[in-house]
Amino acid sequence: MSSVRLNIISAIYGNLPKEAQITKIEFEGPEIAVYVKNPSVLADKGEIVKKIAKDIKKRIVIKADEKARKDKKETEEIIKNLVPKEAEIVNIKFDDELGEVLIKAKKPGLVIGKGGTLQNKIFYETYWRPVIVREPPIKSRTIDSILTHIYNETEYHAKILKVFGERIHRELLFKDRSVRVTALGGFYEVGRSAVLVETPESKILLDVGLNPSVTGGEKFFPRLDIDQVRLEDIDAVVITHAHLDHCGMVPLLFKYGYNGPVYTTAPTRDIMALMQLDALDVAEKEGRPVPYTAKEVRKELLHTITLDYEEVTDIAPDVKLTFYNAGHIIGSAMAHLHIGEGTHNIVYTGDFKYAKTKLLDKANDEFLRVDTMIMETTYGAQEQEGREEAEEKLINIINGTLNRGGRVLIPVLAVGRGQEIMLVLNEAMKNKKIPEVPIYVTGLVDEITAIHNAYPEMLSREVREAILYKDENPFTSEFFHKIEGFREDIAQGEPSIILATSGMLNGGPAVEFFKTMASDSKNSIIFVSYQAEGTLGRKVREGVKEIQIIDRDGRVENIKIEMEVNHVEGFSGHSDRRQLLHYLRNLSAKPRNLVLNHGEPNAIESFRRQVDREKERLGLRGTKIYTPQILDSLRVA
């Protein structure tokens, strides 16, 4: 056993009361699990555990020894007697390996109790550690299947956590404190985001996405084929959010031998798996080769460790990870890597929105220290409409279309833009700003909206309060009608509004609606999200009047575009140039290195020049700006 683990064990034995009767100490991933025969001894000694955790700078959880836990049936009865009926418990599951009991309830706050009092009481009366999750008002098949899968594989899950723990809590081998960043994807381009961060001790992958603008070939994948990316040497994979251009190739790692952890937020875990499985389904239906199978997605879930915002976690012997809100989509995170004992601090923004939206609060700008910032610049060359202007423009286009008897097609990204537009349309219809016509929701939007309802604490204050306290859930509005896939009767029927995936017209029911609706000049299409270069959405947005689409039978269809084509940029989940500049100016800690990525070449170059001109005003006088291309490496420390 390494001296690092021995020192941790000594500190725990030396400080916990002997009456607790420690039976074993397990390194379960980033957490140190202390199993005791008598947890009740610690019921009023929480400060001792906190002090030990602070002294050794590790996360400690107290668990009961297997022999001390109450019988499962008795535990269920205790839980049901302790928890108010108003909590509406819907399911209870046990993890024998980790000593945890999952309690799924419609009102989890009533299970937790004020300041966690009831949650603690459940533990000290049953000796099972409660894990409490929300049953959303819109039932989510995805969350149900993920939790079932994880709780069916508790033995494997516990075993793999111990493997992670041994790797994290090991001795440092090298005195060199250098840090290198290598661009694997998403540099001078939008798509296949992937960054490798290397120290002499560890290798961390930040995002592993696919390129949505191509269907295969070398540019579909990040550059994982280089010597530095030997999968057995990767300590951790960190995923910032659930869009496929950031997470779409994670299962590929498991297919080719990766056996380590994936760190992300809980909503990202759920939506990531759903998006990956849907991508497989679409590829199979279109006869395209699939890079991995559902088997790898299921393995990925067992290896995923979910973290809350601002929760500091060891992910390698010399790297701590903290997630911060990125404001891009639900669960999206900026990844802060604290390397060594203050050697270097990296903030990887992922995609972020530095403005409040109806759905989310704006991105975090408070960091204790930033040495290197890797920042997205998707809209680094342009400015978007303001939110009020964007909403007014959207409403005007819809009204114009409906007044002439047409139908409105809004291709949406299933995650983020779909829910944002739902909130805008619901409010506009409630306030009589647009006529009461059916709003059809199809594709993955409905299931992902259900996942939003499972995590209201991660939504904007207004939406959170409406769901939790006012019983006015905007996502269950009477104006919304869920449909399955494409419906020709709707595409050619009465005036209506159709929200359909995918947002770039590169698959999904939006393409089928577009093909049927494109030739009717009464109809309109409104793009509300980024259209990547090479996608059908990009071509339509740029004004082509005729396109060829290969149908599922391999025949070429000629589509004439007579419908009105519009785009409203103000709803984007990305920051525009002004917001990016404001973000840099307002950062609490200024970076020494600014690395620009996730933008087409003109966006990155335009933004680099802008920052260069405004360095003094932005407080970046000593900051070096880098614009690496794919496979470029930077030594940042």
Side-chain angles (χ1 to χ4, degrees):
M1 184 179 289
S2 74
S3 62
V4 171
R5 292 202 288 279
L6 284 172
N7 289 339
I8 291 170
I9 290 169
S10 298
I12 293 170
Y13 270 103
N15 288 280
L16 273 189
K18 287 183 173 58
E19 298 80 12
Q21 299 181 57
I22 298 172
T23 57
K24 63 179 177 178
I25 296 173
E26 297 283 10
F27 294 82
E28 296 174 353
E31 291 184 335
I32 316 296
V34 183
Y35 289 82
V36 300
K37 283 186 179 178
N38 192 8
S40 55
V41 168
L42 303 172
D44 57 354
K45 294 182 171 63
E47 293 305 314
I48 292 176
V49 178
K50 288 180 183 176
K51 184 180 183 304
I52 299 170
K54 186 177 180 182
D55 289 345
I56 65 176
K57 298 178 181 177
K58 302 291 179 184
R59 289 168 55 190
I60 296 178
V61 293
I62 303 296
K63 297 184 178 182
D65 182 80
E66 184 179 1
K67 293 177 182 177
R69 298 171 206 151
K70 293 271 174 74
D71 174 78
K72 290 178 186 177
K73 283 188 178 178
E74 185 181 356
T75 297
E76 283 197 39
E77 288 303 313
I78 292 171
I79 290 169
K80 287 173 182 175
N81 287 330
L82 286 175
V83 175
K85 285 186 172 57
E86 295 80 16
E88 297 185 68
I89 293 174
V90 297
N91 202 356
I92 295 174
K93 291 176 181 283
F94 292 89
D95 185 335
D96 295 313
E97 302 294 329
L98 298 179
E100 295 176 347
V101 55
L102 176 83
I103 306 171
K104 197 173 186 187
K106 290 185 178 180
K107 295 179 181 176
L110 295 178
V111 187
I112 296 168
K114 190 173 182 180
T117 51
L118 187 52
Q119 186 173 9
N120 288 334
K121 193 170 184 180
I122 291 170
F123 175 54
Y124 290 119
E125 290 203 16
T126 68
Y127 287 180
W128 288 87
R129 184 167 175 257
V131 176
I132 300 160
V133 299
R134 182 183 305 279
E135 168 78 355
I138 306 172
K139 191 167 181 64
S140 168
R141 298 185 304 275
T142 301
I143 293 176
D144 285 349
S145 64
I146 286 172
L147 291 176
T148 298
H149 175 54
I150 291 171
Y151 276 80
N152 282 344
E153 297 287 348
T154 54
E155 187 176 348
Y156 177 84
H157 189 228
K159 180 181 175 183
I160 205 72
L161 282 177
K162 290 169 189 172
V163 173
F164 300 162
E166 287 183 9
R167 187 156 184 168
I168 292 167
H169 304 289
R170 65 168 172 80
E171 311 232 23
L172 297 180
L173 303 175
F174 301 96
K175 292 182 180 179
D176 182 9
R177 293 293 173 261
S178 61
V179 180
R180 182 176 293 276
V181 172
T182 302
L184 302 178
F187 288 77
Y188 270 90
E189 64 184 7
V190 175
R192 60 170 180 165
S193 287
V195 182
L196 176 67
V197 176
E198 295 176 272
T199 76
E201 298 288 344
S202 55
K203 294 186 178 186
I204 313 293
L205 275 175
L206 303 175
D207 285 342
V208 190
L210 55 77
N211 191 335
S213 63
V214 298
T215 56
E218 182 184 303
K219 290 194 175 181
F220 189 50
F221 305 84
R223 292 301 304 271
L224 302 172
D225 57 331
I226 62 175
D227 291 341
Q228 292 147 279
V229 190
R230 293 173 55 196
L231 294 181
E232 62 269 27
D233 294 338
I234 300 296
D235 289 86
V237 174
V238 176
I239 300 300
T240 59
H241 68 282
H243 281 149
L244 287 173
D245 61 324
H246 290 257
C247 72
M249 285 299 170
V250 178
L252 186 77
L253 303 180
F254 290 97
K255 181 177 180 178
Y256 287 102
Y258 180 63
N259 215 28
V262 177
Y263 294 92
T264 192
T265 64
T268 296
R269 175 200 63 187
D270 300 344
I271 298 172
M272 172 174 71
L274 175 61
M275 298 293 284
Q276 291 163 348
L277 291 171
D278 182 68
L280 289 180
D281 185 53
V282 170
E284 286 170 359
K285 285 178 180 175
E286 295 179 353
R288 291 188 278 112
V290 293
Y292 48 81
T293 68
K295 177 184 174 183
E296 284 80 47
V297 178
R298 289 193 294 270
K299 185 172 183 181
E300 164 197 88
L301 285 168
L302 298 176
H303 284 245
T304 298
I305 296 172
T306 61
L307 305 176
D308 293 330
Y309 291 145
E310 301 184 32
E311 181 179 6
V312 182
T313 303
D314 291 282
I315 63 170
D318 61 338
V319 181
K320 293 180 186 294
L321 166 69
T322 311
F323 281 139
Y324 294 92
N325 174 40
H328 175 62
I329 62 173
I330 188 171
S332 60
M334 295 179 164
H336 180 281
L337 300 181
H338 178 82
I339 300 170
E341 294 297 325
T343 299
H344 203 76
N345 285 262
I346 294 175
V347 170
Y348 171 60
T349 68
D351 294 352
F352 74 101
K353 181 71 170 181
Y354 195 52
K356 182 175 171 55
T357 65
K358 277 188 164 52
L359 187 67
L360 301 170
D361 294 326
K362 73 175 182 179
N364 174 76
D365 57 14
E366 294 279 338
F367 302 99
L368 288 176
R369 181 175 158 189
V370 183
D371 298 299
T372 295
M373 174 167 278
I374 306 170
M375 188 171 90
E376 71 122 324
T377 53
T378 311
Y379 285 109
Q382 66 189 90
E383 295 177 358
Q384 303 163 359
E385 300 109 327
R387 281 307 302 250
E388 288 184 11
E389 183 186 349
E391 287 183 26
E392 185 179 349
K393 183 175 177 181
L394 180 76
I395 289 167
N396 287 340
I397 296 167
I398 290 172
N399 281 328
T401 306
L402 298 178
N403 288 340
R404 63 176 179 258
R407 291 150 294 277
V408 180
L409 173 62
I410 307 178
V412 289
L413 299 173
V415 191
R417 283 334 86 208
Q419 292 72 37
E420 182 75 18
I421 298 302
M422 286 176 76
L423 293 174
V424 172
L425 294 178
N426 180 58
E427 185 178 289
M429 208 164 270
K430 274 176 66 178
N431 295 331
K432 310 296 183 186
K433 291 184 178 180
I434 53 179
E436 284 193 25
V437 299
I439 302 172
Y440 295 107
V441 180
T442 187
L444 287 180
V445 180
D446 190 68
E447 175 61 20
I448 289 172
T449 300
I451 295 172
H452 278 68
N453 278 262
Y455 302 100
E457 66 279 3
M458 287 190 154
L459 303 176
S460 68
R461 180 178 57 82
E462 294 81 3
V463 177
R464 182 168 65 244
E465 289 181 356
I467 292 173
L468 294 178
Y469 309 120
K470 296 181 181 178
D471 199 23
E472 296 176 1
N473 191 330
F475 297 117
T476 59
S477 167
E478 61 185 328
F479 304 128
F480 298 124
H481 303 271
K482 178 187 174 184
I483 60 172
E484 296 292 334
F486 167 69
R487 290 248 311 256
E488 189 168 0
D489 61 321
I490 290 172
Q492 297 184 337
E494 295 299 312
S496 62
I497 302 167
I498 303 159
L499 301 184
T501 51
S502 78
M504 299 183 192
L505 294 183
N506 56 340
V511 176
E512 300 303 315
F513 276 104
F514 170 73
K515 283 157 59 175
T516 303
M517 295 168 63
S519 61
D520 189 340
S521 61
K522 294 197 301 293
N523 297 333
S524 65
I525 184 170
I526 309 174
F527 292 106
V528 292
S529 53
Y530 181 77
Q531 302 300 306
E533 192 171 2
T535 59
L536 175 58
R538 180 68 163 258
K539 294 171 186 172
V540 174
R541 190 196 138 157
E542 288 182 344
V544 298
K545 291 300 179 185
E546 189 170 340
I547 56 167
Q548 288 75 44
I549 297 178
I550 300 175
D551 66 17
R552 290 182 180 178
D553 297 324
R555 295 190 298 260
V556 176
E557 289 185 68
N558 284 313
I559 308 293
K560 290 190 175 181
I561 304 172
E562 302 290 343
M563 71 192 313
E564 183 183 307
V565 177
N566 302 277
H567 61 274
V568 184
E569 297 290 3
F571 294 114
S572 173
H574 296 274
S575 302
D576 70 357
R577 180 170 57 190
R578 282 176 303 194
Q579 291 162 354
L580 292 170
L581 292 170
H582 288 161
Y583 185 74
L584 289 172
R585 186 179 64 191
N586 293 341
L587 274 174
S588 59
K590 304 295 184 181
R592 290 191 282 116
N593 307 306
L594 178 62
V595 182
L596 304 182
N597 81 326
H598 202 284
E600 292 171 9
N602 68 309
I604 287 181
E605 286 302 323
S606 173
F607 190 69
R608 180 188 61 79
R609 292 192 296 269
Q610 184 90 23
V611 174
D612 255 338
R613 288 194 297 269
E614 299 190 36
K615 267 190 172 184
E616 193 77 28
R617 184 180 73 84
L618 299 173
L620 300 175
R621 182 188 298 177
T623 300
K624 295 178 180 177
I625 305 172
Y626 298 95
T627 57
Q629 300 191 42
I630 304 295
L631 294 185
D632 284 350
S633 284
L634 299 172
R635 179 166 176 172
V636 294

